[in-house]
Amino acid sequence: MAGLYEVWQRAEVSRRLDVLSGFIAMCVARDDDARRRLAKLVADADAALSASPPDLVAASEYLDELAWWADTEWADHPYRPVEARPDEADRQTRDYAKDLRHASLPVGVRDEMGRIELSLEVRFLALCRQPGLDCRTRQDIFYVAGRAAMALDLGHLEAAEREIRRMEQVGSVEQQVSRCV
């Protein structure tokens, strides 16, 4: 199974590749030679990313060629993608990384993750709908649910289940305390 850092690097290159290739595809829609050039670059980059182990250097070189192409041909285009702010780029990359990580897991593990994710969502919603929750308790529930979701993103199923139990305890303990007051 690929390491998390490798998955993150692949996700960064994949994200940028998708954005730039989509933009260039729009710009070259009526130019058969340019479309073939784009298809070749994207196919080569995808092949490098799909290799075992992934060839991130080669994929990055293809990505650099796409960026250079976009910079030289369409620098002033009003829809030319600009590099996202670091926080937005990380959010987008996280989505790609989750997909890559998920795809690399065995089917049984993915099924178990789906079960835990559904359990998290159902229990989270049930806790949030409890009458009389104060703001602090609600924040604690959101925080622990976020930890459970992060554990799932990382593929730590036991940690996710532990955080779900902790989330339920936070909701039930706070409910008992608020009833006693």
Side-chain angles (χ1 to χ4, degrees), residues 91-181:
R91 274 193 294 278
Q92 293 169 0
T93 300
R94 180 175 176 260
D95 286 342
Y96 274 78
K98 284 180 5 183
D99 292 343
L100 289 171
R101 178 76 171 167
H102 189 74
S104 70
L105 296 172
V107 172
V109 174
R110 287 194 306 240
D111 289 345
E112 184 66 10
M113 284 178 75
R115 183 196 63 76
I116 294 170
E117 189 172 20
L118 180 61
S119 173
L120 170 62
E121 187 172 334
V122 167
R123 291 174 178 177
F124 172 75
L125 291 173
L127 285 171
C128 287
R129 289 185 180 132
Q130 287 183 357
L133 279 183
D134 62 8
C135 182
R136 181 177 178 188
T137 302
R138 196 173 301 278
Q139 288 175 343
D140 289 346
I141 291 169
F142 271 84
Y143 173 75
V144 179
R147 288 178 53 96
M150 185 175 19
L152 277 174
D153 288 349
L154 296 173
H156 294 284
L157 306 184
E158 298 85 19
E161 288 182 319
R162 189 172 49 248
E163 293 300 326
I164 291 171
R165 288 190 300 274
R166 185 171 161 223
M167 179 182 67
E168 290 175 329
Q169 288 173 344
V170 167
S172 66
V173 168
E174 293 295 332
Q175 281 297 88
Q176 291 173 1
V177 170
S178 65
R179 279 188 228 131
C180 295
V181 175

Side-chain angles (χ1 to χ4, degrees), residues 24-36:
I24 293 172
M26 176 192 68
C27 292
V28 300
R30 297 179 187 197
D31 182 343
D32 290 340
D33 291 336
R35 282 196 349 244
R36 278 192 289 277

Side-chain angles (χ1 to χ4, degrees), residues 7-71:
V7 169
W8 187 266
Q9 287 179 310
R10 285 178 54 206
E12 280 183 320
V13 173
S14 294
R15 176 188 61 81
R16 293 189 61 224
L17 182 68
D18 285 351
V19 170
L20 274 174
S21 65
F23 168 72
I24 293 172
M26 176 192 68
C27 292
V28 300
R30 297 179 187 197
D31 182 343
D32 290 340
D33 291 336
R35 282 196 349 244
R36 278 192 289 277
R37 176 182 174 201
L38 173 63
K40 173 92 170 97
L41 285 170
V42 171
D44 290 346
D46 285 342
L49 288 172
S50 298
S52 184
D55 189 349
L56 294 168
V57 173
S60 294
E61 289 172 359
Y62 294 120
L63 178 61
D64 290 344
E65 188 171 342
L66 284 175
W68 177 84
W69 191 9
D71 286 343

